[in-house]
Amino acid sequence: MTAYWLMKSEPDEVSVDDALAAPKSTVPWTGVRNYQARNFMRDGMRVGDGVLFYHSSCAEPGIVGIARVASTPYPDPTQFDRKSPYYDAAAKREEPRWMLVDVQVVEKTRNLTLPELRSTPELADMLVLKKGNRLSITPVEPAHWKKIVRLLGAKAA
DNA sequence: GCCAACGTTGGC
DNA sequence: GCCAACGTTGGC
């Protein structure tokens, strides 16, 4: 049973173009330091799950690509890297605190912007649109996924 | 830069 | 376990 997810990335950090330019169009989803979001990656995701690649904290926030979960969960290496902004002194190698998955971009799309998402009645219940939502990873209902893929005219199903 | 909303921390 | 203070997210 394939599940669907929305994953936010700041394009200044990793944009959909950056991901496309990476080997196999695949990037490790580093830097998540929120337990709920971590748990989605660690416990909820399966290889092949659908991902909506979302740009946040930028001029035009929105969904900019279709991707897929491309690995099983493994420890986020940046938690052990003293020079990384994501370094976590409390994380031990024997007992990693932060887990991530690899994400592979399947298709770059147009930007389905936040205002457009908000103005689409069928998408009103999306978690990412809820007031005050700050979660960088949210599950996506199959019906919402289908609607968005249709709005994007994306090939990926 | 502002600020609402939320998560985390730490004293008690 | 409560809750105030603080830090972060993220749209605008």
Side-chain angles (χ1 to χ4, degrees):
Chain A
M1 175 63 184
T2 305
Y4 302 104
W5 310 90
L6 181 143
M7 301 177 79
K8 295 179 187 173
S9 183
E10 301 187 14
D12 288 347
E13 301 258 341
V14 181
S15 69
V16 68
D17 289 319
D18 295 335
L20 268 179
K24 297 181 184 171
S25 304
T26 300
V27 289
W29 210 260
T30 54
V32 169
R33 295 295 179 268
N34 169 284
Y35 290 105
Q36 246 185 301
R38 177 204 66 182
N39 293 348
F40 285 138
M41 289 198 284
R42 189 188 63 183
D43 309 326
M45 291 187 180
R46 298 289 179 272
V47 171
D49 280 359
V51 173
L52 301 171
F53 198 113
Y54 181 95
H55 280 175
S56 69
S57 293
C58 57
E60 286 217 295
I63 294 165
V64 294
I66 304 285
R68 62 188 283 275
V69 175
S71 79
T72 51
Y74 62 96
D76 182 341
T78 63
Q79 71 193 301
F80 308 122
D81 179 0
R82 289 181 175 281
K83 288 177 211 124
S84 167
Y86 302 118
Y87 176 66
D88 182 347
K92 302 191 182 91
R93 292 205 179 261
E94 320 82 70
E95 218 177 321
R97 180 183 288 200
W98 305 109
M99 306 289 281
L100 54 67
V101 297
D102 289 341
V103 173
Q104 177 175 40
V105 178
V106 175
E107 181 179 353
K108 183 185 174 181
T109 63
R110 72 180 175 90
N111 186 353
L112 177 51
T113 65
L114 188 55
E116 191 174 350
L117 290 169
R118 288 199 190 286
S119 68
T120 305
E122 295 95 317
L123 302 178
D125 291 334
M126 284 190 77
L127 288 175
V128 75
L129 302 181
K130 297 273 179 195
K131 184 180 175 186
N133 170 70
R134 298 186 324 176
L135 255 190
S136 65
I137 299 176
T138 46
V140 172
E141 298 289 330
H144 293 153
W145 172 271
K146 281 182 198 143
K147 178 69 183 174
I148 288 165
V149 167
R150 203 174 317 135
L151 284 172
L152 288 171
K155 296 184 282 291

